[in-house]
Amino acid sequence: MKLSHTITACVALSLSFTACQTPLYRAVKSNDVVAVKRELAKGADPDEKASAANWFWKAPLLPIVATLDLAELAVIYGTGGLGVIPLCIIYAPFCKTFVAETVVDFSLTEGVYNFGDTTPAQAVGYKTAPELAYEIALSPRLNDIRLVEEQAMQYALDRNDIAGALRLLDKGAMRSLPDFRAAVQGDAAAQTRLALCYFEGKGVLSDYKKAIKWFSKAAKQGNADAAHHLGWCYSGGYGVDRDYEQALEWHIKAAAYGKKYAEKNMDVSLIDMAAALTGVAGYQALVGLCYKYGKCGFPKNNAAAAWWYRKAAEQGIAVAQSELADCYCFGEGVMINYPEAAKWARKAAEQGDADGQWLLGAMYYDGKGVVRDEEQARYWWRQAAAQGKAKARESLQRHGWL
């Protein structure tokens, strides 16, 4: 019994070894590139034998085909089986460029997208190489470009390759975004609509950075809606770092482009808003109010309001100081900080600002940011009431101090 088993094993090993002694194997073993190409072009199949030994002779193939260009690879692998894909995945850390090219070629010649639960392109990380995605997508032999369309389009647009982008669109790329073609061709209204799709996630995954790119393209062409949305993105930090000066610049441009955001609900001219950018404190306070109440076409944004209030408050503008004190007292756009609130309320109160006087009195009464002191509370409330501040008069009445 043992002898028969031994004989059987030897025969199997001999057959397996003999199977490897094919012209293709010998060509691979001898590093003969011409012979490898010739045998595979004749139809030699790396997967014709489903034995374990089948995998061992494939390894020497890598250094050979790595020297070939994509056209040559197309000839070779166009006749081969799929066995090379697992090998490519195994070798990916060592020869990523070659592996990626091999997968490109498989995509072109075999239409291969699935291996188990992972696509070959994903296995070698094609997403880190937009140029490869672009090359795959534009191949005349690739019919379905959904796997690579976004990376390919990104590559084209980053290089201002409008012709390439249009060719991708002709092949069906970005079909879920009907405005894409007009946007690529420079239509500002289409660019704005496309940006909104990216911003809101309509027909595509939400992507603020892509939204910013398209808003910018449209805004630079004078589209008022795009300029307004761009200002909104800068003030809210959507896809960009928060930059309230940039936000104001784009709001000014939106108004100048004719959207009539300025002077919508308040008497604020473009000159007034532009003055804030040059450091004129009074207009900085005005911009802060626009942000706080969502006036003049500005989005309501307490953080932006607090930022502009501080710029004006530091230059001694009483209304900005009292508004900034409110921000710190009630956590509007900033973290609650009672000592900071009391500091700015006092600065405003001492300049005769009724709002600052009322808030300072309330902080003294509650002992927030200052040592509780009813006398100080009564004093500041009376100062504010004398200027007609209704809330101060109500506070005095409630405590019997009138």
Side-chain angles (χ1 to χ4, degrees):
M1 181 69 74
K2 291 183 178 179
L3 179 60
S4 65
H5 283 173
T6 302
I7 292 173
T8 301
C10 289
V11 170
L13 180 60
S14 176
L15 289 174
S16 177
F17 181 76
T18 302
C20 289
Q21 302 302 305
T22 62
L24 177 60
Y25 174 78
R26 289 194 292 272
V28 169
K29 191 71 174 176
S30 61
N31 286 336
D32 187 340
V33 177
V34 175
V36 169
K37 289 165 56 178
R38 181 179 63 247
E39 293 304 320
L40 286 175
K42 285 163 61 178
D45 185 357
D47 289 329
E48 63 184 0
K49 300 297 182 184
S51 65
N54 169 276
W55 293 105
F56 290 95
W57 66 267
K58 290 182 180 176
L61 189 64
L62 288 172
I64 297 176
V65 293
T67 65
L68 309 178
D69 61 25
L70 286 177
E72 291 173 315
L73 284 170
V75 172
I76 292 175
Y77 285 109
T79 60
L82 307 186
V84 73
I85 293 180
L87 190 66
C88 286
I89 295 171
I90 293 169
Y91 274 72
F94 308 103
C95 50
K96 185 171 182 179
T97 300
F98 157 65
V99 174
E101 290 179 350
T102 302
V103 171
V104 169
D105 184 68
F106 262 105
S107 298
L108 301 183
T109 61
E110 298 288 341
V112 176
Y113 288 102
N114 295 308
F115 181 78
D117 294 327
T118 306
T119 65
Q122 289 169 337
V124 299
Y126 84 89
K127 289 187 177 180
T128 62
E131 183 176 4
L132 288 178
Y134 180 79
E135 188 166 353
I136 294 172
L138 288 181
S139 166
R141 283 175 285 180
L142 191 69
N143 296 321
D144 188 347
I145 67 172
R146 285 175 295 180
L147 182 68
V148 293
E149 62 179 340
E150 288 208 23
Q151 283 283 73
M153 187 63 74
Q154 172 191 323
Y155 182 79
L157 294 178
D158 285 349
R159 286 152 184 76
N160 199 33
D161 179 6
I162 303 304
L166 293 175
R167 286 172 63 199
L168 291 171
L169 290 167
D170 287 339
K171 292 196 68 173
M174 318 308 288
R175 56 173 62 88
S176 64
L177 298 170
D179 282 307
F180 213 105
R181 181 178 296 275
V184 167
Q185 292 174 318
D187 185 286
Q191 290 171 342
T192 303
R193 291 193 298 271
L194 179 59
L196 286 170
C197 287
Y198 277 117
F199 191 89
E200 298 170 359
K202 292 182 178 179
V204 69
L205 290 176
S206 179
D207 189 323
Y208 292 148
K209 290 186 177 180
K210 287 182 181 177
I212 287 290
K213 286 183 180 180
W214 289 107
F215 279 140
S216 297
K217 287 178 181 292
K220 288 174 182 177
Q221 292 192 70
N223 185 281
D225 282 325
H228 173 65
H229 287 300
L230 198 54
W232 196 88
C233 288
Y234 273 109
S235 67
Y238 297 105
V240 289
D241 292 333
R242 280 190 175 88
D243 187 329
Y244 298 123
E245 290 184 340
Q246 276 285 312
L248 181 58
E249 282 190 26
W250 284 111
H251 284 306
I252 291 172
K253 287 178 180 178
Y257 293 158
K259 193 63 180 176
K260 297 184 179 178
Y261 288 122
E263 302 180 11
K264 184 177 181 182
N265 294 312
M266 293 175 62
D267 186 18
V268 181
S269 70
L270 297 183
I271 295 175
D272 294 339
M273 289 194 287
L277 289 172
T278 65
V280 179
Y283 295 117
Q284 291 173 337
L286 190 56
V287 169
L289 289 168
C290 290
Y291 273 118
K292 179 175 180 178
Y293 297 106
K295 301 292 185 179
C296 312
F298 286 65
K300 189 172 182 179
N301 186 323
N302 287 332
W307 191 87
W308 283 103
Y309 287 150
R310 177 174 284 279
K311 290 184 76 71
E314 289 173 345
Q315 295 189 66
I317 302 299
V319 65
Q321 292 169 342
S322 65
E323 290 288 347
L324 186 58
D326 265 348
C327 292
Y328 279 114
C329 189
F330 302 108
E332 296 177 347
V334 292
M335 295 291 290
I336 289 176
N337 186 329
Y338 293 129
E340 193 73 5
K343 180 185 83 172
W344 290 109
R346 184 180 301 281
K347 288 180 180 291
E350 288 175 349
Q351 290 197 72
D353 183 87
D355 290 329
Q357 291 168 342
W358 175 83
L359 181 59
L360 185 58
M363 298 192 79
Y364 268 117
Y365 187 84
D366 294 331
K368 291 181 176 179
V370 292
V371 177
R372 190 172 189 279
D373 187 329
E374 290 190 2
E375 285 300 316
Q376 283 289 313
R378 179 165 53 186
Y379 171 78
W380 288 112
W381 280 341
R382 282 178 173 172
Q383 295 294 314
Q387 296 192 67
K389 183 70 175 177
K391 289 175 70 174
R393 184 173 181 81
E394 290 170 5
S395 297
L396 290 170
Q397 285 178 331
R398 187 165 58 252
H399 296 93
W401 291 341
L402 271 181

